[in-house]
Amino acid sequence: QIGDVTLWSGFRGDGKSSLISYLMMSLLAQEQTVFVASLEIKAERVAKRMITSGLGRLPNKHDVATFVSECGPNLIFCDKIGFITQNELLEMMRYSYQRYGAQHFFIDSLMRISKLEEDYPQQAEFMNSLCEFSKSTGVNVHLVAHPRKPPPGVSGGDKSVKGSSAIENSVDNVAFVVRNRNKDGLADYDTEIKVTKQREL
């Protein structure tokens, strides 16, 4: 959908980052302009993951040069590691939309936004700002949020994200990436995406 905010979650090692990297690469292949705020790892590593997901193997120098030449004009990085304020991030997003026509915005992760960790009212305010930006411009926002730790034996896809209920209530879609830890043979699936919320359905 146009103008959606999608929440992505999943436990470490379940494939969330790989899936998002593939999604970004697919959008770039369609000549969509993508803004990436990966606040946990440097832009170079994000790009390497994207190329690897697209090729299905580690890239060589030629692959990197081709990626930069073909995808570089449509790829915008928030060149910051660590924490960022709500206002600074939203200002970057607005500028990327107005100046470069960015259509998809990826934020990894919610808990890298300053002062949101335990402040539920601030979490709600930030989510409202993201949704207002998405709806007023028609762009799609993809937000990564960490899940709550489930009780023993409970699948991560059956739980909600860590933080205020406003996080999930505000967005249009919620998707959990869950690795099949009981995979039995080549015919079985590796990972599934559990869509726990879709506003249009």
Side-chain angles (χ1 to χ4, degrees), residues 118-131:
E118 300 296 337
D119 192 331
Y120 285 11
Q122 283 292 314
Q123 290 177 12
E125 180 180 322
F126 178 66
M127 296 307 301
N128 286 336
S129 296
L130 278 188
C131 292

Side-chain angles (χ1 to χ4, degrees), residues 30-47:
Q30 299 171 50
E31 299 185 350
Q32 301 280 303
T33 303
V34 175
F35 171 93
V36 182
S38 182
L39 302 166
E40 299 181 359
I41 63 174
K42 291 184 178 181
E44 303 94 288
R45 289 183 59 193
V46 176

Side-chain angles (χ1 to χ4, degrees), residues 3 8-9 15 19 22 24 27 35 49 53 62 68 75 77 84-85 87 103 111 121 125 131 141 153 158 168 185 194:
W8 296 90
S9 193
L19 177 63
Y22 184 80
M24 290 190 290
L27 291 167
F35 171 93
R49 285 183 178 181
S53 70
H62 174 73
V68 171
L75 181 58
F77 279 110
I84 191 171
T85 67
N87 289 340
Q103 298 146 301
M111 289 306 145
E125 180 180 322
C131 292
V141 176
D158 297 327
E168 290 187 72
K194 293 189 175 182

